[in-house]
Amino acid sequence: MDLNIIWFLLVGILIIGYAILDGFDLGVGSVYLFAKFKERDIARNSIAPVWDGNEVWLITGGGALFAAFPMVYATAFSGFYLALILLLFALIFRAISLELRNNFQSESTKTLFDWVFSISSIVAIVLFGVAVGNVLSGLNVDKSGNYVGTFFDLLNPYSILVGVLAFFMLSYQGTVWLFLKTEDEFQQKVKNWAKIYWSGYLILFVICTLLTYVLHKNLFHNYLAHPLMLVVPLLALIFMLASIIRIQKNQALCAIIASSLSIAMVILTAYLSLFPNLIIAKNPAYSLNIYNAASSQLTLETMLIIALIGMPIVLIYTIYSYRVFHGKTKIEEGY
């Protein structure tokens, strides 16, 4: 296994880590408005100690992509420039609404911040999903790696469908997190939400997989060449089923573990279908892969040493923070 493949795997691990961890607090935001006013305090308090730490995985992933595959980073940022600006604003407004809400006494002002928090969370989820849909379907890239399409080219039906899948997937993860952190009447309410979002998650995963086979057969080349890889999407379905069964049995910890593993398998299914490409161009000759878009071997080697030092620190910090704030969330906790 060469350095390019190792970095392909490391970037994938960081993307999966971010999707699982920030996925549940984005998901909490997307279902937040369904809760009663007092219940919203519990929902917010459940993510308050960890949401900003979760975003370290996004920054680390972006840094890893820039260091290992700078051409991919440049093409993605030029192609998704307007979408990334919208994403940045969504994340900023989300953070502001979380931080400032309880500095006001007026219920109407707090409700306004609630709406901002929820809408910005949904926008962020859908934008992430649409971006993934475009990477899978291919971008209009020239031979220099520059994106030559328009913003509206990114809003194609396939990519929007992937965005909707991301919405249901992370909203489900958010409901499972709330199921873990709440109790009594609110927990039962969240349990009912989980069933709805799980149904959408499962149905859209199947539809997107079938549609991908019809529209983008090139993404199945790796799976047809190595049929053992089909165990990955199969595991995604198994973990989805395991998660909803654990919720029915009121086993919240097992449910969040299974839900997180299902997200990991769904993303891995898509990520492995790209290999060795990272950005597929409409003209295959212009696609960016782990070799023509990579940094020098010296850079990859140096960055690998830094990653082997830094990633365990991020992992230890993440485990420690979740250990400190484990257990049910009370209304008086958090912000």
Side-chain angles (χ1 to χ4, degrees):
M1 184 182 296
D2 59 32
L3 282 171
N4 302 62
I5 295 177
I6 291 173
W7 271 103
F8 177 81
L9 296 175
L10 285 176
V11 171
I13 290 170
L14 290 168
I15 292 172
I16 289 172
Y18 174 71
I20 291 173
L21 294 176
D22 210 32
F24 75 72
D25 66 61
L26 285 167
V28 167
S30 76
V31 303
Y32 182 73
L33 291 177
F34 294 125
K36 294 177 183 175
F37 190 76
K38 285 293 182 184
E39 292 170 343
R40 292 176 188 173
D41 285 330
I42 300 175
R44 290 176 59 261
N45 290 348
S46 75
I47 62 171
V50 295
W51 74 270
D52 45 0
N54 293 340
E55 298 198 348
V56 170
W57 288 77
L58 177 63
I59 297 168
T60 308
L65 188 66
F66 175 72
F69 306 109
M71 284 188 64
V72 173
Y73 184 90
T75 299
F77 269 69
S78 66
F80 301 140
Y81 186 76
L82 186 54
L84 287 172
I85 292 295
L86 291 173
L87 174 64
L88 187 60
F89 274 109
L91 294 176
I92 289 172
F93 279 116
R94 186 169 179 272
I96 290 173
S97 61
L98 271 171
E99 294 288 344
L100 296 185
R101 179 185 185 271
N102 280 357
N103 291 327
F104 295 87
Q105 298 302 317
S106 165
E107 186 170 319
S108 59
T109 307
K110 287 186 175 183
T111 301
L112 175 63
F113 278 114
D114 289 343
W115 276 87
V116 172
F117 171 58
S118 191
I119 291 172
S120 57
S121 297
I122 293 170
V123 169
I125 292 172
V126 174
L127 285 173
F128 278 127
V130 170
V132 171
N134 277 285
V135 170
L136 292 174
S137 59
L139 293 173
N140 288 315
V141 175
D142 65 18
K143 63 180 180 181
S144 300
N146 298 314
Y147 177 69
V148 293
T150 68
F151 172 72
F152 294 103
D153 291 337
L154 302 176
L155 301 177
N156 55 79
Y158 176 81
S159 299
I160 292 174
L161 187 67
V162 176
V164 177
L165 167 62
F167 168 76
F168 277 96
M169 181 174 75
L170 298 190
S171 296
Y172 175 66
Q173 177 80 339
T175 59
V176 180
W177 173 258
L178 288 176
F179 187 68
L180 174 71
K181 301 295 285 184
T182 59
E183 50 195 348
D184 302 328
E185 182 186 349
F186 190 27
Q187 190 186 42
Q188 288 306 307
K189 187 186 291 184
V190 166
K191 188 176 182 178
N192 293 329
W193 297 347
K195 294 173 189 172
I196 297 170
Y197 285 106
W198 178 85
S199 300
Y201 177 22
L202 175 66
I203 292 169
L204 282 163
F205 175 67
V206 173
I207 291 174
C208 282
T209 302
L210 294 175
L211 199 60
T212 302
Y213 184 76
V214 173
L215 297 177
H216 307 293
K217 284 190 172 64
N218 57 310
L219 294 174
F220 281 79
H221 286 169
N222 290 334
Y223 289 98
L224 295 176
H226 306 283
L228 273 178
M229 287 173 57
L230 290 170
V231 73
V232 177
L234 182 61
L235 281 174
L237 289 170
I238 290 173
F239 286 129
M240 281 184 212
L241 290 170
S243 177
I244 197 68
I245 289 172
R246 295 300 176 182
I247 286 180
Q248 293 289 2
K249 294 183 176 180
N250 294 319
Q251 297 171 332
L253 182 59
C254 292
I256 191 76
I257 292 172
S259 175
S260 299
L261 288 173
S262 77
I263 292 174
M265 292 302 112
V266 168
I267 294 175
L268 196 58
T269 298
Y271 197 57
L272 291 178
S273 71
L274 291 172
F275 184 84
N277 295 310
L278 286 164
I279 287 182
I280 298 174
K282 297 291 187 187
N283 182 342
Y286 300 156
S287 292
L288 299 177
N289 60 47
I290 61 172
Y291 295 104
N292 67 12
S295 297
S296 68
Q297 291 297 298
L298 178 60
T299 301
L300 293 180
E301 189 174 333
T302 305
M303 290 301 300
L304 181 60
I305 294 171
I306 296 172
L308 291 176
I309 296 171
M311 286 181 71
I313 294 173
V314 173
L315 194 59
I316 291 169
Y317 167 78
T318 302
I319 293 171
Y320 175 75
S321 61
Y322 280 85
R323 184 175 174 77
V324 168
F325 296 105
H326 76 283
K328 298 293 182 183
T329 303
K330 306 298 180 185
I331 196 165
E332 65 274 11
E333 294 177 342
Y335 290 147

